[in-house]
């Protein structure tokens, strides 16, 4: 069945690939990020009938409220929300790290995700829909001093807590945990890493399961070289 899917961080990398694969599979996508030009380019590619761009900074709760209202005004419901927007560390560790970067990572990777989840829940309870988080392998590992890794430990715990809150409502929660993916998240190409398409296939696998199936989490890692 065709689903209405809202994706944060859809202007690049994993979110962009999830949007393309979803549209190709016949779903309708709402694309959110700050880069309006990139989102409009993707809408032009995917077709205005089944794709909508909404400019949104996820650290601003009011902008997220407008994002959800715009999506449901246009399409009437939401079946899947992918909380994907995120950013990494500008320097490794805590001692060498940058305080403004710590703040931005916590605001986008954690605070923004809690707002996305809160605003998604009423729609997903109504549609018996699916809330999907993009966590990380970094949320399953000890990385010396890593604030980024800790933001993904938060996602790992938060996804389980939200799943418990939604248990019995008919809505589902999945946390997808990629290893390294070759995206603009990094300044340099990562030739041995996963591709955004690899994560997009996992996303579609999770959301297209029959209604009685729950996939709480998925780990997707590059094969060791
Ligand atoms: O990175 P990138 P990825 N408000 O930089 C958006 C996780 N992950 O696809 O606003 C709204 O290509 C930004 O859009 P824009 C990672 O932690 C990655 O790799 O226009 N949106 C863009 O669309 C993150 O959670 C790897 O700049 C905001 C998107 O986020 C997710 O995967 C491994 C925003 C970032 O796209 C996607 O990252 C892993 C804001 N304030 C987990 N700030 C990996 N790449 O290796 C940023 O385990 N965005």
């Amino acid at each position: 069945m065709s689903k209405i899917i809202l994706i944060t961080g859809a202007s690049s990398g994993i979110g962009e690939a999830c949007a393309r694969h979803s549209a190709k599979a016949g779903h309708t996508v709402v694309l959110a990020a700050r880069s309006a030009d990139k989102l409009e380019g993707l809408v032009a590619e995917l077709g205005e009938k089944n794709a909508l761009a909404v400019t949104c900074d996820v650290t601003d709760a009011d902008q997220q409220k407008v994002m959800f209202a715009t999506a449901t005004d246009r399409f009437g419901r939401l079946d899947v929300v992918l909380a994907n927007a995120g950013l990494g560390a500008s320097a490794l560790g805590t001692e060498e790290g940058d305080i403004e970067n710590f703040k931005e990572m916590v605001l986008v990777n954690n605070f923004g995700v809690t707002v996305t989840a809160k605003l998604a829940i009423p729609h997903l309870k109504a549609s018996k829909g699916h809330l999907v988080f993009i966590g990380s392998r970094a949320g399953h590992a000890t990385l010396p001093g890593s604030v980024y890794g800790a933001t993904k430990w938060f996602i790992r715990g938060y996804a389980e807590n939200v799943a418990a809150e939604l248990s019995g409502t008919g809505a589902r929660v999945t946390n997808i945990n990629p290893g390294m993916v070759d995206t603009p998240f990094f300044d340099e190409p990562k030739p041995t890493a996963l591709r955004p398409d690899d994560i997009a296939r996992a996303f579609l696998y999770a959301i297209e399961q029959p209604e009685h199936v729950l996939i709480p989490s998925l780990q997707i890692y590059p094969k060791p070289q």
Side-chain angles (χ1 to χ4, degrees):
M1 195 192 88
S2 176
K3 297 177 191 287
I4 313 293
I5 302 173
L6 184 151
I7 300 172
T8 69
S11 64
S12 170
I14 292 169
E16 181 182 359
C18 288
R20 280 212 176 85
H21 280 242
S22 298
K24 198 173 168 203
H27 303 299
T28 296
V29 286
V30 180
L31 312 170
R34 294 165 302 176
S35 306
D37 51 339
K38 291 186 191 165
L39 297 179
E40 291 299 348
L42 198 49
V43 167
E45 177 191 322
L46 302 179
E48 283 189 15
K49 188 166 168 282
N50 293 315
L52 171 70
V54 186
T55 308
C56 177
D57 182 333
V58 294
T59 66
D60 184 326
D62 289 335
Q63 288 189 31
Q64 288 216 48
K65 286 178 189 167
V66 171
M67 170 180 80
F68 276 93
T70 306
T72 52
D73 283 354
R74 166 81 183 268
F75 296 116
R77 66 172 204 279
L78 282 171
D79 301 307
V80 179
V81 173
L82 175 60
N84 163 75
L87 77 151
S90 57
L92 287 181
T94 293
E95 186 178 7
E96 297 300 324
D98 174 72
I99 290 172
E100 277 308 307
N101 177 236
F102 294 167
K103 188 174 174 182
E104 198 183 1
M105 284 192 286
V106 170
L107 283 175
V108 177
N109 300 2
N110 297 157
F111 172 71
V113 170
T114 63
V115 175
T116 303
K118 177 177 171 60
L119 299 176
I121 283 173
H123 301 293
L124 299 180
K125 282 168 91 168
S127 64
K128 296 195 188 307
H130 205 148
L131 178 58
V132 182
F133 296 95
I134 297 294
S136 179
R137 187 177 193 169
H140 294 73
T142 299
L143 304 173
S146 174
V147 175
Y148 172 75
T151 68
K152 293 300 181 172
W153 279 92
F154 174 96
I155 294 298
R156 181 180 175 183
Y158 185 58
E160 291 197 15
N161 290 351
V162 174
E165 182 172 329
L166 290 179
S167 179
T169 66
R172 296 184 275 196
V173 175
T174 299
N175 182 20
I176 296 178
N177 297 286
M180 185 180 279
V181 188
D182 186 20
T183 72
F185 184 90
F186 299 104
D187 296 332
E188 307 291 330
K190 299 287 180 189
T192 61
L194 296 166
R195 301 281 170 263
D197 288 342
D198 300 324
I199 312 307
R201 286 196 308 278
F203 170 66
L204 275 188
Y205 172 77
I207 67 167
E208 290 185 338
Q209 292 299 314
E211 210 175 302
H212 65 283
V213 176
L214 171 66
I215 300 177
S217 70
L218 279 172
Q219 320 294 100
I220 307 137
Y221 298 166
K223 193 168 80 175
Q225 298 295 302

